Amino acid sequence: MLTRSFKCASGHRPVGPPLGRGATPKPTANSTRPPPYTPFKALSLLFETTYLTVLYTEYKNLNYAALAEGVLAHWKETNAFEQSVALREGRPTFTFYEGPPSANGMPGIHHVMARTIKDIFCRYKTLKGFQVPRKGGWDTHGLPIELQVEKELGITKDHIGKTISVADYNQKCRETVMRFTDRWNDLTEKMGYWVDLEHPYVTYETNYIESVWWLLKQLYDKGLLYKGYTIQPFSPKAGTGLSSHELNMPGTYKDVKDTTVVAQFKVKPNGKSGFLFFDSADADVYILAWTTTPWTLPANSALTVGANIDYVLVKTINPYTFMPVHVVLAKNLVGRWLNEKGRVDSINSRSGGPSAFDAYLSTDNRNRSGAPAGAIIPWALVSEFKGQHLEGIEYEQLMPYVQPDPAAGKPFRVILGDFVTTEDGTGVVHTSPTFGADDFRVAQQNGIPAIMVKDETGKDVPIVDRQGRFVAEITDYAGRYVKEEYYSDEERADPDFKPTDVLIAIQLKEQNKAFRVEKYEHPYPHCWRTDKPILYYPLDSWFIRTTTMKDRLVELNKTINWQPESTGTGRFGNWLENLVDWNLSRSRFWGTPLPIWRSETREEVCIGSVAELVEHVQKALASDVLTEEQRANDEAFIAAHAAGNVDLHRPYSDEIYLVSETGLLMQREPDLIDVWFDSGAMPYAQWHYPFENKDKFAQSYPADFISEGVDQTRGWFFTLHAIAGMLFDSVAFKNVVSTGLVLDKNGQKMSKSKGTSIDPFITLSEYGADATRWYMMTNTEPWDNLRFNLDGVAEVQRRFFGTLTNTYNFFALYANVDGYRIEQFDRVPREELPELDRWILSKLNTLVREVEASFEAYNPTKAGRLIQDFVNDQLSNWYVRLCRRRFWAGAADASEMSHDKRAAYQTLQHCLASVAQLMSPIAPFYADWLYQNLTAAVREESIARNTPFRHDSVHFTDWQPVAEDWIDTDLEEAMALAQQISSMVHALRKNHKLKVRQPLSRVLIPVVSVGQATGTMQRQIEQVAPIIESEVNVKSVEFVADASGLLTKRVKPNFKALGPKFGKQMKDVAAAITAMTPDELTQLETTNSLQLAGFNLQLTDVEILTEDVPGWVVAVDGPLTVALDVTVTDELRREGIARDLVNRIQNLRKDQNFDVTDKINVALERNNDLLSEAVEANRDYIQQEVQAVSLELVTGLNGSAVEIEMDEFVLKMKVERV
RNA sequence: GGGCUUGUAGCUCAGGUGGUUAGAGCGCUACACUGAUAAUGUAGAGGUCCGUGGUUCGAGUCCACGCAGGCCCA
């Protein structure tokens, strides 16, 4: 519960100006008070007996979490969120899209961060007058849910359709996915995230799926949806593809020994490859590429190199054929394949004698089999170049069994790829688009065709069939398994058995196409079902042809405002530049089914709505093609449709049978679609567009703002962008904030097992949402990773919220005493406001301007820090501190309040209410609480007269306009000088042990700087001199001009001005300036020109500082110099003692619990001349300050006298109530 | 391996377009104030601005190459 301590104005606590100048607070008459204000019902109960006398509740030991709970309860009761939206009916819409979370896991602290960002800008835009509908949403499909269900049921994918029906399985998924919805909703409320949880979109709902189908149909009709293949892990023995998840299961990677080949790809001499033939035009040049899967070599159609990798051309000898060859490979890997001992400087002999090559090959050197015995193969470096120079070079097909389709692109070229490494191999990757995922991608990007053959139906298929055997076209190896593990044990036991890879290696050796053949041990993935090696194999997939729209997508992206910009241009931009077609297919169970039905002869139909499906089903039923069972299923669908409970998920959609134009049975393509398409479809599907809500969709498209983690770049950000760009030629969002991660306090990923993860519910209940949100927003810019430290939240709470609450309490305390009510109409005119008021109001308006700019730029960090600095440094530590006396001075009745006091109340109240609004997007509970406390007392009046405070919640208010004419930059500068000078004087006092209570006579400020600035500065300081005087307790602020001769000046070079003029001579100039004589300086100052060591100087080339004022103590800070007169005259000394005395007497009053209105008699022991003099000289002052009716100096003080420590002596004193 | 990003005091962070003495808050130490007081003020200690090289009269800032952390992709 909220704890509080409330004392009414007539209560027992000393309130108001207890001892000041006879100010006696009077209890104010209740009858004149407005109706009681109850911020929130829950709280009001506490105040029932006392609130009648209070306008502003005061809070002690505020519990921020409880505060938030109270506000939340009030919001719920009043439907505040709904009101905030309804209030803006008819205003322009600001559209926000909620990226749907998956509710099958618990929310974490990072969700608080992500959702705070979303909330901030939606709230801000509401304040700015926009209507901001915020529809929540849930992402409900996908693998994680399937896996969770399987885990809970203790099954694997193999069981689906066997021990559990697809229908039951999917039902289980549907139940599981929304399991934590309650917890999510709870967090959403507690953290103060305003989003419509009542009407969220849910991706598994039929209406949602129908919209998704409609989108797919649009793509299909535009020819953007096609069936192709992707390279996936495939198990020929199990006859099935494997998901990456299945591949990541433990034990799938095993070390195997494979036959590997470094193949020689013969370069075609032409313009591009010319530089490789420079040294020997008639030599053959080969590019070396290493493969651990020689069986894929007949499918080679490109070689991939790294653009920035260094390659070399080497002359050497083929170890199998002994033919001299020139080979290309990565420089770093020469040592991997060629023995360093064989290196020779030159290819040819210079001496005319036999070269190393000749020697190696000479017959003398051969053994019986004709091979050079024991000799190391010589080699020589010919040239070196970057990979990019190899791009486009053509080579001869290595194993020309099958020619690619010429229409499909130009094969047998060198291309560039970012996946090439020099860790192993030759730095050149043998590329086969049908048997490698990288290969496929890079081939697609470079227009490299795949080596394919036609099957009996005329369809393109790879050169290895689904059993893992070569097709007939690979004549030499037709029917052979590509992996020896696919043969039976008996076959492999045959002594003549040779694995296919070995046979290929032998063939290549004989043809001078193999540079090296060796066994190599490496980990290779195996099928978890069959334990046999998997193949990377092309499997049917449906694609969206994003590549054809690439340029447009890139172009559209340039119109999006990314925060931070680098995510848009870098991560996202690069992704778009390297776009490949979007593989839509997923072989799963729980997801949106692909709405395409196909016949055996590839007649197909893409269904774009339930109605369309019904129509097709009816047509099928009218034909005589369907079996009994198929007919029954189709009829079941029609019945379900009539009953209004169509479910488009598997297995139901699988069991719908259609009939083609030519009378053939059509079945649904069994794939589901990528769940990312679901979420990318939300702008349309959340409204069931185009079947319903066309107007709503039109109003809310595209989004003005979205925000998600940077990890969504290729996820949601992309799918939104792709669908919008391809189908609507539009962006899906105009502004996007991509947020970083939330790490633990050591910068590591939070982990449950290490105990470093933060439970958001605990955090919120301990610190409240406001401090948590404020900390997250102000500690780090949200796109940087946040190191989340609870100590930081505590600090924010103490330092920012604590200070602000203190400031409010200060206001409330005195306002209650004085019965001050916010004056909305009878304001003290600006001209009559004191300097400090005009200053803080100027600062406030500057703040509003800057905070607005920061929010407009989607930078909540800057906004929060600005507000925080204003509250802590300007409002609390300067304005309130310096104005304290104004609040307790003078009459304590509103009707008699002085102008000055009213001004103080009005100013402080205005600042607090403004801050409440500025901070409300970030700290919504606290800001509302503050607003309520400040303004509820005038609510009725405000409603009646239609003022800004008429709203029940700060979140309903209109953003305050910047009052430009209140901004007084000159005054702000002046006050900054006052602050700086005060700080410097405090420092001087400190260093010279002169406490602030000791008055000093004067502060001297030398004004020597050049030109106009001098005049400005002096004028500005004069303007705030009284503030400085009272702040640092000096009698006067004086200026000393140059001419006084009092000053010692120093000259410094102004590098910024000198740089462009003297450049390289800088050192000399600087030295000359530093060594300048006083006479020279005088000349420079008077004539603005000086010839010095051959340099022509002007006044602006130097900075002149006062270093010292002889006889004074001096502080220097930048251009400012402050001298303090530390002479304590007898009179000052006496005054200081008098002040000390007042202080001690006040303490005694406090110790003895005197009431603020009590008058006292004071008796002092006359034992010290200094004291006597001080008392006599300041008697009136002392008596007034401590409300003493008498002040006597007596000898021999008796009775209840106490001993008091003064600086220089001990004093006996007696204080009695009258 | 590639793309993006971060690296400044013990901790969390500021440091337009290069300008010679790098700042703030917290924490620590000392002192002051004591009618905002579990607040506040002042001072002190605390830095190889990740490293190396370069450009420049001058580099925390610009360039190159590295190192370390993070995300995404392979």
Side-chain angles (χ1 to χ4, degrees), chain A residues 16 18-19 438 571 574 779 876 884 997 1055 1064 1150:
Chain A
L19 304 173
D438 279 333
R571 193 181 279 220
N574 290 345
N779 188 59
S876 171
R884 278 199 314 239
R997 236 187 271 124
F1055 288 97
K1064 293 195 185 198
K1150 229 167 131 187

Short mmCIF file of all heavy atoms in Angstrom, two decimals, chain A residues 16 18-19 438 571 574 779 876 884 997 1055 1064 1150, chain B residues 3 12-13 20 34-36 41 57 70-71 73-74:
data_model
loop_
_atom_site.label_atom_id
_atom_site.label_comp_id
_atom_site.label_asym_id
_atom_site.label_seq_id
_atom_site.Cartn_x
_atom_site.Cartn_y
_atom_site.Cartn_z
N GLY A 16 5.36 25.79 6.61
CA GLY A 16 5.43 27.19 6.20
C GLY A 16 6.64 27.86 6.82
O GLY A 16 7.58 27.21 7.27
N PRO A 18 8.24 29.21 9.57
CA PRO A 18 8.02 29.20 11.00
C PRO A 18 8.63 30.39 11.72
O PRO A 18 8.02 30.96 12.59
CB PRO A 18 8.67 27.91 11.46
CG PRO A 18 9.64 27.56 10.38
CD PRO A 18 9.11 28.14 9.13
N LEU A 19 9.81 30.74 11.33
CA LEU A 19 10.49 31.74 12.12
C LEU A 19 10.80 32.99 11.30
O LEU A 19 11.45 33.89 11.77
CB LEU A 19 11.79 31.16 12.65
CG LEU A 19 11.58 29.89 13.47
CD1 LEU A 19 12.92 29.26 13.82
CD2 LEU A 19 10.76 30.18 14.71
N ASP A 438 24.89 -22.85 -50.53
CA ASP A 438 25.64 -21.66 -50.93
C ASP A 438 25.72 -21.59 -52.44
O ASP A 438 25.56 -20.53 -53.05
CB ASP A 438 27.08 -21.73 -50.39
CG ASP A 438 27.15 -21.29 -48.94
OD1 ASP A 438 26.28 -20.49 -48.53
OD2 ASP A 438 28.07 -21.74 -48.25
N ARG A 571 22.51 -3.13 -42.68
CA ARG A 571 22.01 -4.48 -42.55
C ARG A 571 20.84 -4.77 -43.49
O ARG A 571 20.84 -5.77 -44.19
CB ARG A 571 21.58 -4.70 -41.10
CG ARG A 571 21.34 -6.13 -40.77
CD ARG A 571 20.91 -6.26 -39.33
NE ARG A 571 22.05 -6.23 -38.43
CZ ARG A 571 22.15 -7.02 -37.36
NH1 ARG A 571 21.19 -7.86 -37.07
NH2 ARG A 571 23.19 -6.96 -36.58
N ASN A 574 21.83 -4.02 -47.37
CA ASN A 574 22.65 -5.08 -47.94
C ASN A 574 21.84 -6.34 -48.20
O ASN A 574 22.05 -7.04 -49.19
CB ASN A 574 23.80 -5.43 -46.99
CG ASN A 574 24.81 -4.32 -46.92
OD1 ASN A 574 24.81 -3.42 -47.77
ND2 ASN A 574 25.65 -4.35 -45.91
N ASN A 779 19.30 5.13 -20.17
CA ASN A 779 20.65 4.61 -19.94
C ASN A 779 21.42 4.46 -21.24
O ASN A 779 22.59 4.83 -21.33
CB ASN A 779 20.57 3.28 -19.22
CG ASN A 779 21.95 2.81 -18.79
OD1 ASN A 779 22.62 3.49 -18.04
ND2 ASN A 779 22.37 1.68 -19.30
N SER A 876 15.14 21.81 -9.67
CA SER A 876 15.30 21.48 -8.25
C SER A 876 16.51 22.18 -7.63
O SER A 876 16.39 22.88 -6.63
CB SER A 876 15.44 19.97 -8.10
OG SER A 876 15.79 19.66 -6.77
N ARG A 884 13.35 29.22 -2.30
CA ARG A 884 12.70 28.69 -1.11
C ARG A 884 12.07 29.78 -0.24
O ARG A 884 10.93 29.68 0.16
CB ARG A 884 13.70 27.90 -0.27
CG ARG A 884 13.88 26.51 -0.74
CD ARG A 884 14.47 25.62 0.33
NE ARG A 884 15.60 26.25 0.98
CZ ARG A 884 16.83 25.73 1.00
NH1 ARG A 884 17.06 24.62 0.38
NH2 ARG A 884 17.79 26.33 1.64
N ARG A 997 28.31 30.85 5.60
CA ARG A 997 27.60 31.72 6.54
C ARG A 997 28.39 32.98 6.86
O ARG A 997 27.84 33.94 7.41
CB ARG A 997 27.28 30.94 7.82
CG ARG A 997 25.80 30.97 8.13
CD ARG A 997 25.50 30.34 9.47
NE ARG A 997 25.28 28.92 9.37
CZ ARG A 997 25.95 27.99 10.04
NH1 ARG A 997 26.91 28.33 10.87
NH2 ARG A 997 25.68 26.72 9.89
N PHE A 1055 44.07 28.09 -31.62
CA PHE A 1055 44.48 27.18 -32.69
C PHE A 1055 43.49 27.12 -33.84
O PHE A 1055 43.87 27.01 -34.99
CB PHE A 1055 44.71 25.79 -32.11
CG PHE A 1055 45.94 25.69 -31.27
CD1 PHE A 1055 45.87 25.80 -29.89
CD2 PHE A 1055 47.17 25.52 -31.86
CE1 PHE A 1055 47.02 25.73 -29.12
CE2 PHE A 1055 48.33 25.44 -31.09
CZ PHE A 1055 48.25 25.55 -29.71
N LYS A 1064 51.40 24.78 -41.35
CA LYS A 1064 52.59 24.09 -40.87
C LYS A 1064 53.44 24.92 -39.91
O LYS A 1064 54.24 24.37 -39.17
CB LYS A 1064 53.45 23.68 -42.07
CG LYS A 1064 52.78 22.62 -42.91
CD LYS A 1064 53.74 21.97 -43.85
CE LYS A 1064 52.97 21.01 -44.75
NZ LYS A 1064 53.78 20.03 -45.42
N LYS A 1150 14.45 23.73 17.58
CA LYS A 1150 14.05 22.47 16.98
C LYS A 1150 14.21 21.32 17.98
O LYS A 1150 13.31 20.49 18.14
CB LYS A 1150 14.94 22.19 15.76
CG LYS A 1150 14.18 21.80 14.52
CD LYS A 1150 15.11 21.85 13.32
CE LYS A 1150 15.05 20.63 12.49
NZ LYS A 1150 16.09 20.66 11.44
P G B 3 32.45 -7.83 -44.94
OP1 G B 3 32.96 -6.85 -45.93
OP2 G B 3 33.18 -8.07 -43.68
"O5'" G B 3 30.95 -7.46 -44.58
"C5'" G B 3 30.00 -7.19 -45.60
"C4'" G B 3 28.65 -6.99 -45.01
"O4'" G B 3 28.21 -8.22 -44.38
"C3'" G B 3 28.59 -5.97 -43.88
"O3'" G B 3 28.53 -4.65 -44.36
"C2'" G B 3 27.31 -6.39 -43.15
"O2'" G B 3 26.17 -5.99 -43.86
"C1'" G B 3 27.43 -7.92 -43.22
N9 G B 3 28.12 -8.47 -42.04
C8 G B 3 29.43 -8.87 -41.95
N7 G B 3 29.75 -9.32 -40.76
C5 G B 3 28.57 -9.21 -40.04
C6 G B 3 28.29 -9.55 -38.69
O6 G B 3 29.06 -10.02 -37.84
N1 G B 3 26.98 -9.26 -38.35
C2 G B 3 26.05 -8.74 -39.20
N2 G B 3 24.83 -8.53 -38.69
N3 G B 3 26.28 -8.41 -40.46
C4 G B 3 27.56 -8.68 -40.81
P U B 12 29.58 -0.88 -17.33
OP1 U B 12 28.96 -2.08 -17.92
OP2 U B 12 30.82 -0.32 -17.91
"O5'" U B 12 28.49 0.28 -17.31
"C5'" U B 12 27.14 0.00 -16.91
"C4'" U B 12 26.31 1.25 -17.06
"O4'" U B 12 26.79 2.25 -16.12
"C3'" U B 12 26.42 1.94 -18.41
"O3'" U B 12 25.60 1.32 -19.38
"C2'" U B 12 25.98 3.36 -18.06
"O2'" U B 12 24.58 3.44 -17.93
"C1'" U B 12 26.62 3.54 -16.69
N1 U B 12 27.94 4.20 -16.78
C2 U B 12 27.95 5.59 -16.81
O2 U B 12 26.93 6.25 -16.76
N3 U B 12 29.19 6.15 -16.90
C4 U B 12 30.40 5.48 -16.96
O4 U B 12 31.44 6.13 -17.04
C5 U B 12 30.31 4.06 -16.94
C6 U B 12 29.10 3.48 -16.85
P C B 13 25.87 1.58 -20.94
OP1 C B 13 24.85 0.84 -21.67
OP2 C B 13 27.30 1.37 -21.21
"O5'" C B 13 25.53 3.12 -21.05
"C5'" C B 13 26.16 3.95 -22.01
"C4'" C B 13 25.94 5.38 -21.59
"O4'" C B 13 26.69 5.64 -20.38
"C3'" C B 13 26.46 6.42 -22.57
"O3'" C B 13 25.49 6.67 -23.59
"C2'" C B 13 26.65 7.63 -21.67
"O2'" C B 13 25.43 8.28 -21.40
"C1'" C B 13 27.15 6.97 -20.38
N1 C B 13 28.62 6.95 -20.29
C2 C B 13 29.28 8.15 -20.02
O2 C B 13 28.62 9.19 -19.88
N3 C B 13 30.64 8.16 -19.92
C4 C B 13 31.31 7.02 -20.08
N4 C B 13 32.63 7.08 -19.98
C5 C B 13 30.66 5.79 -20.36
C6 C B 13 29.32 5.80 -20.46
P U B 20 41.47 22.21 -27.98
OP1 U B 20 40.40 21.22 -27.78
OP2 U B 20 41.39 23.52 -27.33
"O5'" U B 20 42.88 21.56 -27.67
"C5'" U B 20 43.09 20.66 -26.59
"C4'" U B 20 44.54 20.30 -26.62
"O4'" U B 20 45.04 20.53 -27.95
"C3'" U B 20 45.40 21.16 -25.68
"O3'" U B 20 46.39 20.35 -25.11
"C2'" U B 20 46.03 22.16 -26.64
"O2'" U B 20 47.26 22.67 -26.21
"C1'" U B 20 46.24 21.28 -27.87
N1 U B 20 46.43 22.04 -29.11
C2 U B 20 47.70 22.00 -29.65
O2 U B 20 48.61 21.35 -29.15
N3 U B 20 47.87 22.73 -30.79
C4 U B 20 46.92 23.48 -31.44
O4 U B 20 47.23 24.06 -32.46
C5 U B 20 45.62 23.47 -30.81
C6 U B 20 45.43 22.76 -29.69
P U B 34 23.74 25.57 8.59
OP1 U B 34 23.26 26.94 8.80
OP2 U B 34 24.75 24.99 9.49
"O5'" U B 34 22.51 24.57 8.58
"C5'" U B 34 21.46 24.71 7.62
"C4'" U B 34 20.71 23.40 7.59
"O4'" U B 34 21.64 22.32 7.40
"C3'" U B 34 19.98 23.12 8.90
"O3'" U B 34 18.67 22.67 8.61
"C2'" U B 34 20.77 22.01 9.56
"O2'" U B 34 19.99 21.09 10.25
"C1'" U B 34 21.39 21.31 8.35
N1 U B 34 22.64 20.66 8.69
C2 U B 34 22.67 19.29 8.63
O2 U B 34 21.72 18.62 8.24
N3 U B 34 23.86 18.73 9.02
C4 U B 34 24.97 19.38 9.45
O4 U B 34 25.96 18.74 9.77
C5 U B 34 24.85 20.80 9.50
C6 U B 34 23.72 21.39 9.13
P G B 35 17.52 23.46 9.12
OP1 G B 35 17.89 24.73 9.72
OP2 G B 35 16.65 22.51 9.85
"O5'" G B 35 16.91 23.74 7.68
"C5'" G B 35 16.46 22.70 6.87
"C4'" G B 35 15.04 23.04 6.46
"O4'" G B 35 14.29 23.24 7.67
"C3'" G B 35 14.97 24.33 5.67
"O3'" G B 35 14.14 24.12 4.55
"C2'" G B 35 14.37 25.35 6.62
"O2'" G B 35 13.46 26.19 5.94
"C1'" G B 35 13.62 24.47 7.62
N9 G B 35 13.63 25.03 8.95
C8 G B 35 14.56 24.90 9.94
N7 G B 35 14.26 25.52 11.03
C5 G B 35 13.03 26.11 10.73
C6 G B 35 12.21 26.92 11.51
O6 G B 35 12.39 27.30 12.67
N1 G B 35 11.08 27.30 10.82
C2 G B 35 10.78 26.94 9.54
N2 G B 35 9.65 27.40 9.03
N3 G B 35 11.54 26.17 8.79
C4 G B 35 12.64 25.80 9.45
P A B 36 14.79 23.57 3.26
OP1 A B 36 16.25 23.62 3.36
OP2 A B 36 14.10 24.25 2.18
"O5'" A B 36 14.32 22.04 3.28
"C5'" A B 36 12.96 21.71 3.36
"C4'" A B 36 12.68 20.50 2.48
"O4'" A B 36 12.76 20.90 1.10
"C3'" A B 36 13.68 19.36 2.66
"O3'" A B 36 13.00 18.12 2.51
"C2'" A B 36 14.61 19.54 1.49
"O2'" A B 36 15.18 18.32 1.04
"C1'" A B 36 13.66 20.06 0.42
N9 A B 36 14.32 20.84 -0.59
C8 A B 36 14.92 22.06 -0.48
N7 A B 36 15.43 22.50 -1.58
C5 A B 36 15.15 21.50 -2.50
C6 A B 36 15.43 21.37 -3.86
N6 A B 36 16.09 22.28 -4.55
N1 A B 36 15.01 20.25 -4.48
C2 A B 36 14.35 19.34 -3.78
N3 A B 36 14.02 19.35 -2.50
C4 A B 36 14.45 20.47 -1.90
P G B 41 23.99 19.00 -5.35
OP1 G B 41 23.78 19.39 -6.74
OP2 G B 41 24.51 17.66 -5.03
"O5'" G B 41 24.97 20.05 -4.67
"C5'" G B 41 24.71 21.44 -4.76
"C4'" G B 41 25.70 22.18 -3.94
"O4'" G B 41 25.60 21.73 -2.57
"C3'" G B 41 27.16 21.90 -4.30
"O3'" G B 41 27.59 22.69 -5.38
"C2'" G B 41 27.86 22.26 -3.00
"O2'" G B 41 27.96 23.66 -2.84
"C1'" G B 41 26.88 21.72 -1.96
N9 G B 41 27.19 20.34 -1.55
C8 G B 41 26.50 19.20 -1.88
N7 G B 41 27.01 18.13 -1.34
C5 G B 41 28.10 18.58 -0.61
C6 G B 41 29.03 17.88 0.19
O6 G B 41 29.09 16.68 0.43
N1 G B 41 29.98 18.74 0.75
C2 G B 41 30.01 20.10 0.55
N2 G B 41 30.99 20.76 1.16
N3 G B 41 29.15 20.77 -0.20
C4 G B 41 28.22 19.95 -0.73
P C B 57 51.13 19.32 -42.31
OP1 C B 57 51.21 20.58 -43.05
OP2 C B 57 51.99 18.15 -42.66
"O5'" C B 57 51.32 19.62 -40.77
"C5'" C B 57 52.63 19.84 -40.25
"C4'" C B 57 52.53 20.39 -38.86
"O4'" C B 57 51.92 21.71 -38.92
"C3'" C B 57 51.61 19.62 -37.94
"O3'" C B 57 52.29 18.53 -37.33
"C2'" C B 57 51.20 20.68 -36.92
"O2'" C B 57 52.22 20.91 -35.97
"C1'" C B 57 51.07 21.91 -37.82
N1 C B 57 49.70 22.12 -38.31
C2 C B 57 48.72 22.58 -37.41
O2 C B 57 49.03 22.77 -36.24
N3 C B 57 47.47 22.80 -37.85
C4 C B 57 47.17 22.57 -39.14
N4 C B 57 45.93 22.79 -39.52
C5 C B 57 48.14 22.10 -40.06
C6 C B 57 49.39 21.90 -39.61
P G B 70 29.85 -12.29 -27.22
OP1 G B 70 29.18 -13.25 -26.32
OP2 G B 70 30.70 -12.76 -28.33
"O5'" G B 70 28.76 -11.33 -27.84
"C5'" G B 70 27.80 -10.69 -27.00
"C4'" G B 70 26.96 -9.76 -27.80
"O4'" G B 70 27.79 -8.74 -28.42
"C3'" G B 70 26.23 -10.38 -28.99
"O3'" G B 70 25.10 -11.11 -28.59
"C2'" G B 70 25.91 -9.15 -29.82
"O2'" G B 70 24.84 -8.43 -29.24
"C1'" G B 70 27.19 -8.33 -29.65
N9 G B 70 28.14 -8.57 -30.74
C8 G B 70 29.30 -9.29 -30.71
N7 G B 70 29.92 -9.30 -31.88
C5 G B 70 29.11 -8.53 -32.70
C6 G B 70 29.25 -8.18 -34.07
O6 G B 70 30.16 -8.48 -34.85
N1 G B 70 28.20 -7.39 -34.52
C2 G B 70 27.14 -7.00 -33.75
N2 G B 70 26.22 -6.26 -34.35
N3 G B 70 26.99 -7.32 -32.46
C4 G B 70 28.01 -8.08 -32.01
P C B 71 24.67 -12.39 -29.39
OP1 C B 71 23.71 -13.11 -28.55
OP2 C B 71 25.87 -13.06 -29.90
"O5'" C B 71 23.90 -11.77 -30.63
"C5'" C B 71 22.70 -11.03 -30.42
"C4'" C B 71 22.30 -10.33 -31.69
"O4'" C B 71 23.37 -9.42 -32.08
"C3'" C B 71 22.13 -11.22 -32.91
"O3'" C B 71 20.87 -11.86 -32.92
"C2'" C B 71 22.29 -10.22 -34.04
"O2'" C B 71 21.14 -9.42 -34.18
"C1'" C B 71 23.43 -9.35 -33.50
N1 C B 71 24.76 -9.81 -33.95
C2 C B 71 25.17 -9.49 -35.24
O2 C B 71 24.41 -8.83 -35.96
N3 C B 71 26.39 -9.89 -35.67
C4 C B 71 27.18 -10.59 -34.86
N4 C B 71 28.37 -10.97 -35.32
C5 C B 71 26.79 -10.95 -33.54
C6 C B 71 25.57 -10.54 -33.12
P C B 73 19.46 -15.30 -38.81
OP1 C B 73 18.12 -15.68 -39.27
OP2 C B 73 20.09 -16.01 -37.67
"O5'" C B 73 20.48 -15.38 -40.03
"C5'" C B 73 20.18 -14.72 -41.24
"C4'" C B 73 21.37 -14.75 -42.16
"O4'" C B 73 22.49 -14.06 -41.56
"C3'" C B 73 21.96 -16.12 -42.47
"O3'" C B 73 21.16 -16.84 -43.39
"C2'" C B 73 23.32 -15.72 -43.03
"O2'" C B 73 23.20 -15.21 -44.34
"C1'" C B 73 23.70 -14.58 -42.09
N1 C B 73 24.56 -15.06 -40.99
C2 C B 73 25.93 -15.21 -41.26
O2 C B 73 26.34 -14.93 -42.40
N3 C B 73 26.76 -15.64 -40.29
C4 C B 73 26.28 -15.92 -39.08
N4 C B 73 27.13 -16.35 -38.16
C5 C B 73 24.89 -15.80 -38.77
C6 C B 73 24.07 -15.37 -39.75
P A B 74 21.45 -18.41 -43.58
OP1 A B 74 20.49 -18.92 -44.56
OP2 A B 74 21.60 -19.07 -42.27
"O5'" A B 74 22.89 -18.30 -44.24
"C5'" A B 74 23.38 -19.32 -45.04
"C4'" A B 74 24.86 -19.14 -45.21
"O4'" A B 74 25.39 -18.21 -44.23
"C3'" A B 74 25.65 -20.41 -44.95
"O3'" A B 74 25.64 -21.25 -46.10
"C2'" A B 74 27.02 -19.90 -44.59
"O2'" A B 74 27.77 -19.55 -45.71
"C1'" A B 74 26.66 -18.62 -43.80
N9 A B 74 26.62 -18.88 -42.35
C8 A B 74 25.52 -18.96 -41.54
N7 A B 74 25.81 -19.20 -40.28
C5 A B 74 27.21 -19.28 -40.27
C6 A B 74 28.14 -19.52 -39.25
N6 A B 74 27.80 -19.72 -37.98
N1 A B 74 29.45 -19.55 -39.58
C2 A B 74 29.79 -19.34 -40.86
N3 A B 74 29.00 -19.11 -41.91
C4 A B 74 27.71 -19.09 -41.55
#
